[in-house]
Amino acid sequence: MNQPAKATTVTIIGAGLGGIALVANLGLLGYRLRLHDRDEARIARVRERGGLDVEGLAKGFAPLELVTPQLAPAVDGADVIVVVTGSHFHADVARSLAGVLRDGQSILLIQVAPAAPSSCAESCARPAVAPRST
């Protein structure tokens, strides 16, 4: 990311411990954040609050511009998409992303448990995603 935090939109996919930790840290740094989790119960309170109250070594409020169980609006226009799910969900997430990714978006896959990361790359490479020209 070669642009200032306030100009960078980051979508976090997965509202488990890892995803919430990223939201807290990136939010305090000033990134524009979106949070997606298909489990409405995991994200309802965060959406109601409009972000997270962060306590610990760093303190403050980490605002989110969007919290949604719908993937397409969460990734639409995002500069960076960070997938923070259990590895057993990676293939499903990749298949879902394949239809909504746009040229120029970067994906960071954080592997929560051992799995073959190539499954994500293979699923994202389906024809719904145009290959980048160099």
Side-chain angles (χ1 to χ4, degrees):
M1 293 182 283
N2 293 331
Q3 56 192 21
K6 291 180 192 234
T8 303
T9 301
V10 179
T11 295
I12 308 292
I13 298 176
L17 293 174
I20 293 298
L22 273 174
V23 165
N25 286 287
L26 293 176
L28 292 179
L29 292 172
Y31 287 89
R32 296 177 58 208
L33 294 173
R34 301 171 183 174
L35 178 63
H36 164 75
D37 197 289
R38 62 186 185 176
D39 183 351
E40 177 67 36
R42 281 186 168 208
I43 57 175
R45 289 188 62 197
V46 177
R47 182 178 39 247
E48 289 168 12
R49 180 82 173 100
L52 293 171
D53 289 302
V54 181
E55 297 179 7
L57 294 176
K59 296 180 191 306
F61 184 73
L64 286 120
E65 65 179 36
L66 179 65
V67 180
T68 180
Q70 299 172 337
L71 186 62
V75 301
D76 185 40
D79 300 297
V80 178
I81 300 161
V82 184
V83 180
V84 191
T85 63
S87 57
H88 53 287
F89 292 116
H90 288 177
D92 288 340
V93 171
R95 280 189 291 275
S96 298
L97 282 172
V100 296
L101 290 176
R102 300 293 174 250
D103 192 32
Q105 292 179 306
S106 297
I107 300 173
L108 172 61
L109 178 65
I110 297 179
Q111 195 162 320
V112 178
S118 63
S119 64
C120 183
E122 290 167 2
S123 295
C124 282
R126 300 204 192 281
V129 177
R132 289 188 190 180
S133 9
T134 54

